[in-house]
Amino acid sequence: MTPDITPAGPADLPAILELLAASKLPRAGIEDHLASTLLARVDSGVVGTAALELYGSAALLRSVAVATRFQGQGLGAALTVAALDLARHRGVRTVYLLTETAGRFFPRFGFRPITRADVDVAVRGSTEFTTACPASALVMRAELTE
Ligand SMILES: CC(C)(COP(=O)(O)OP(=O)(O)OC[C@H]1O[C@@H](n2cnc3c(N)ncnc32)[C@H](O)[C@@H]1OP(=O)(O)O)[C@@H](O)C(=O)NCCC(=O)NCCS
């Protein structure tokens, strides 16, 4: 069974918030980025998320989460790849992320650790950067190719 990966809509917000809470990820501000949020669905239930906050040619990849019982089946990787494809289609060149627990998950997609000072100033002003994620979170960056 391979879950479909499809865009989120406003009606999905409660299920997204529930999955983020269960995954211990920040929820603040996600409602402002539903138009660039992807979902994995099984039987119309949400079992995975990946969201982009778009800031011109830069973006923040956030809310990459897979429900516990669907982990380890490639879904997190599929959501991440789909989000990076979406970023490319929206003209993004550089994608940033913050993570406290998955620093070893993201290098396979081209992400490398950087310092906060190296982050695009628009991305640094996002809720996730200023309030939602602790200062101890690892910051990573990937440069997208065509
Ligand atoms: C991180 C997460 C999205 C991965 O989802 P998943 O569907 O289990 O991932 P996949 O099945 O695609 O895993 C692919 C690989 O990543 C590895 N992996 C999974 N979670 C990992 C983690 N937290 N750290 C390091 N590696 C991880 C798997 O072992 C697997 O390795 P393999 O290909 O060598 O076997 C999921 O563990 C999760 O929801 N975690 C909680 C939320 C979180 O921390 N999100 C990241 C910050 S935004």
Side-chain angles (χ1 to χ4, degrees), residues 25 64-66 71-77 99 101-102 104-106 108:
L25 292 180
V64 179
V66 173
Q71 289 182 5
Q73 302 171 30
L75 200 45
T99 183
T101 57
R104 292 201 302 274
F105 173 72
F106 289 106
R108 74 197 68 192

Side-chain angles (χ1 to χ4, degrees), residues 110-132:
F111 285 93
R112 300 288 177 263
I114 58 167
T115 67
R116 287 189 175 228
D118 290 329
V119 176
D120 184 284
V121 73
V123 175
R124 234 189 292 163
S126 68
T127 308
E128 181 112 329
F129 256 82
T130 52
T131 59

Side-chain angles (χ1 to χ4, degrees), residues 5 38-40 47-50 61 64-66 74-84:
I5 295 179
L38 298 173
L39 302 181
V47 301
T49 59
L61 174 63
V64 179
V66 173
L75 200 45
L79 281 159
T80 302
V81 168
L84 295 179

